[in-house]
Amino acid sequence: MKLYYAGDVHGSEKCWRKFLNAARFYEVDTLIMGGDITGKLMVPIVAGAGGRHLARVLGRDESVAEDELEELEKRIRFNGFYPYRCDRAEYERLEADEAYRDEVFTRLMVDEVHRWIELAEERLGGTDVRCFVMPGNDDEFAVDAALESRYVVNPDNAVVRVGDFQMLSCSWTNRTPWDSPREEDEDDLLRRLRELAAQLEPGVPTIFNLHCPPHGTTLDKAPQLTPDLRVALDGGEPRIVSVGSTAVRTLIEEVQPVLALHGHIHESKAVAKIGRTTCVNPGSAYSEGVIDGAVVDVRGDKVKSCQLVTG
């Protein structure tokens, strides 16, 4: 199997389109998106006087005519945000009512995921490319059902067959400072992972697709944060620590899959070995419209080649 793996696109439609194009560009038979697919910000586009529409994009106020709306929405989506057309009354309600704002944001996010999956069907329909798309710890549970289609499989919290291989996938992580939807204590995470591993078929080459990287490797280095979420400094420089999961590392050591694919820590692009297992984190630069990925050629119980790529 020759696969392309990426993750942490955080709503960037530009990165999503590049992900779908990667099958043809890198000549792979399998695409795997390893989590954190949704964006974090809604951008209201408010109908104003004289047929103009107002929005604040990346800290700048913009005013566009009706025939410029689609281009504005395209730019907003490419930056990983969600455009939302509304009138002044709706905008004021969004500002004043947090519960309603959250409801609108979730609905908008799910609709955008549906649209992304439709794009995948257009690009991959009629091909032999397998496509797996998993949520990550930052993604709300509401998006899960939207990920399934004829050409896209959500493998989260399951073991699925991928050609001659079996793939164990999990979106959950150890605790983070941001109290994201899919995170839990290390003991609970290890229990979850071992329950999944119990479903593995003996003798079948195994790939792990785990959003969180293993603790104590080059894949999980990030600045340490203070309780008020500031970067801890040593001599004026950020203090870099391991923030990956001990549970993930334990499972890798116990099962020794051929390959372990990870994301979550954007600044920790690396390839490492844990015993016989090749572990990969391609990193993420989604905010720049760049997708970081890994092209991996797996033959039987060996990784023939592993290349980190940027596009």
Side-chain angles (χ1 to χ4, degrees):
M1 176 170 62
K2 188 177 181 183
L3 64 88
Y4 175 83
Y5 172 85
D8 301 281
V9 294
H10 289 283
S12 170
E13 185 161 311
K14 189 173 186 179
C15 289
W16 176 252
R17 289 175 179 269
K18 289 180 177 181
F19 170 73
L20 297 178
N21 290 339
R24 176 175 52 84
F25 188 84
Y26 295 110
E27 298 181 336
V28 301
D29 51 61
T30 304
L31 295 174
I32 302 172
M33 174 61 68
D36 282 1
I37 59 174
T38 57
K40 301 180 180 181
L41 186 67
M42 172 174 60
V43 178
I45 303 175
V46 186
R52 306 294 293 183
H53 299 264
L54 311 175
R56 187 166 182 80
V57 184
L58 297 174
R60 189 178 75 178
D61 292 326
E62 297 201 29
S63 173
V64 299
E66 187 77 27
D67 60 358
E68 299 173 300
L69 270 174
E70 289 189 8
E71 178 60 31
L72 174 62
E73 290 177 329
K74 182 178 179 181
R75 286 195 286 113
I76 291 171
R77 289 189 177 104
F78 274 20
N79 281 292
F81 308 141
Y82 298 132
Y84 181 62
R85 298 188 194 186
C86 62
D87 58 20
R88 176 58 59 178
E90 171 79 351
Y91 176 73
E92 291 175 353
R93 183 180 178 187
L94 289 171
E95 280 198 317
D97 188 337
E98 182 179 357
Y100 178 69
R101 184 168 66 247
D102 290 345
E103 175 189 330
V104 170
F105 180 81
T106 297
R107 184 175 71 244
L108 190 63
M109 178 176 59
V110 171
D111 287 346
E112 289 293 292
V113 172
H114 275 297
R115 200 172 61 81
W116 277 20
I117 298 304
E118 289 174 0
L119 279 173
E121 292 180 339
E122 291 174 10
R123 299 286 178 88
L124 303 178
T127 74
D128 294 326
V129 175
R130 297 175 289 242
C131 184
F132 299 90
V133 181
M134 180 178 76
N137 67 295
D138 280 344
D139 297 315
E140 295 184 21
F141 294 102
V143 306
D144 290 32
L147 292 174
E148 294 286 354
S149 79
R150 290 177 299 166
Y151 300 108
V152 176
V153 174
N154 175 7
D156 188 25
N157 282 301
V159 174
V160 300
R161 286 301 293 258
V162 188
D164 295 330
F165 299 83
Q166 58 187 338
M167 183 170 70
L168 182 157
S169 301
C170 185
S171 58
W172 288 70
T173 71
N174 55 328
R175 295 291 181 187
T176 76
W178 296 280
D179 191 25
S180 58
R182 305 173 202 246
E183 59 181 63
E184 56 191 352
D185 294 338
E186 292 282 13
D187 289 347
D188 294 326
L189 181 56
L190 182 57
R191 189 176 304 113
R192 177 189 299 274
L193 293 173
R194 281 177 169 160
E195 288 174 357
L196 285 172
Q199 303 173 31
L200 292 169
E201 185 178 343
V204 177
T206 299
I207 294 171
F208 281 0
N209 170 30
L210 305 177
H211 183 62
C212 189
H215 181 82
T217 63
T218 52
L219 283 66
D220 77 324
K221 304 300 184 186
Q224 186 177 30
L225 299 181
T226 62
D228 61 352
L229 301 182
R230 296 176 182 272
V231 175
L233 301 176
D234 285 327
E237 295 295 325
R239 181 186 305 154
I240 304 300
V241 295
S242 286
V243 295
S245 167
T246 57
V248 167
R249 179 163 191 141
T250 295
L251 195 76
I252 292 172
E253 291 172 343
E254 291 176 349
V255 177
Q256 289 285 271
V258 179
L259 175 68
L261 303 167
H262 308 279
H264 189 45
I265 310 302
H266 300 183
E267 57 269 64
S268 206
K269 175 188 296 192
V271 178
K273 294 282 283 190
I274 296 179
R276 298 186 303 275
T277 302
T278 299
C279 304
V280 184
N281 178 2
S284 174
Y286 77 93
S287 61
E288 302 168 19
V290 171
I291 187 166
D292 291 326
V295 178
V296 189
D297 192 346
V298 191
R299 305 290 178 93
D301 61 352
K302 296 185 182 301
V303 173
K304 181 181 178 182
S305 65
C306 177
Q307 181 182 9
L308 298 181
V309 295
T310 297

